[in-house]
Amino acid sequence: MARRSAVGDEDHIGARTEEIFLDPHSELFPIADSAMEAATLVESYHRLQLIYDLGIAICKETDLDMVLTVTKKEIIRLIRLERCLIAILDEGGKFRPLIQHNLSLPENPEDWPISRTIVGQVLKDGVAVLSSDAQRDNKFTGIRSIGLHHVRSLMCAPLGPKGAILGFIYVDHREKADSFS
């Protein structure tokens, strides 16, 4: 089953952007109906194709360092991000960066210049978080790190299923709202 959701504010031509959320237990490609515009489905399909292409690029590599290099390159190419971090838990239960872009990371993960509150929520709930403007998003009111690091656009996703999460992907943009839509 697919459901529609209005995303963000009105765009430059006055139309609201929409995004399709696909239920993993339902059909992959929903059929357009009067409530769901074909253009919305085309855009959603385009995004699905980008993720598919990323998967193909990653699977062509067999060396872990090359997989990480290709992943970083493709994420930067596909998403209008400013900063990026992919980190995993090491044997001691401490986060270790695998990929970073435009981030200077101190040795102690507690001092990393990202929203640990958001990362903690993603790891606890096992659900990705997206905000087109974290400075104005009511869900993030009171999260000190959002203001401290001047985060506008934000995405964070767990690596692995809930209960067996291995790490996280974190991307943000500190100057542009709606950077990921």
Side-chain angles (χ1 to χ4, degrees):
M1 171 171 208
R3 64 183 167 89
R4 297 182 1 188
S5 175
V7 177
D9 296 322
E10 292 186 0
D11 64 20
H12 66 283
I13 59 172
R16 292 187 57 83
T17 57
E18 293 185 75
E19 186 124 6
I20 298 296
F21 298 94
L22 297 175
D23 180 344
H25 305 291
S26 183
E27 63 193 75
L28 181 58
F29 301 104
I31 298 170
D33 60 21
S34 60
M36 186 182 304
E37 293 184 25
T40 302
L41 287 175
V42 168
E43 179 61 26
S44 295
Y45 175 78
H46 175 70
R47 290 178 186 205
L48 182 63
Q49 185 66 44
L50 292 174
I51 296 297
Y52 175 78
D53 291 344
L54 174 59
I56 295 294
I58 290 170
C59 289
K60 286 182 180 177
E61 302 299 335
T62 56
D63 175 66
L64 178 59
D65 288 335
M66 284 305 299
V67 168
L68 295 173
T69 299
V70 166
T71 301
K72 177 181 173 180
K73 178 182 159 201
E74 290 299 308
I75 287 173
I76 292 167
R77 183 179 71 82
L78 295 173
I79 302 172
R80 295 175 300 217
L81 60 84
E82 178 190 7
R83 306 182 313 162
C84 174
L85 171 63
I86 298 178
I88 60 167
L89 284 168
D90 65 16
E91 300 81 25
K94 186 176 177 182
F95 281 108
R96 180 174 61 90
L98 292 178
I99 294 175
Q100 63 195 56
H101 175 71
N102 284 342
L103 279 167
S104 177
L105 299 177
E107 188 169 326
N108 183 358
E110 295 292 316
D111 297 328
W112 290 354
I114 62 173
S115 176
R116 290 191 322 270
T117 304
I118 299 297
V119 169
Q121 176 186 341
V122 165
L123 297 175
K124 179 181 151 276
D125 297 341
V127 176
V129 169
L130 167 68
S131 179
S132 59
D133 191 345
Q135 296 289 325
R136 296 180 182 201
D137 194 328
N138 291 335
K139 293 181 295 198
F140 304 124
T141 301
I143 298 179
R144 191 172 131 304
S145 56
I146 296 294
L148 179 67
H149 301 300
H150 309 288
V151 175
R152 296 289 305 268
S153 297
L154 164 76
M155 287 193 302
C156 187
L159 292 175
K162 186 175 181 176
I165 294 174
L166 305 172
F168 63 90
I169 300 172
Y170 176 95
V171 298
D172 71 18
H173 203 297
R174 295 176 296 175
E175 294 178 15
K176 294 181 184 175
D178 298 318
S179 186
F180 309 135
S181 54

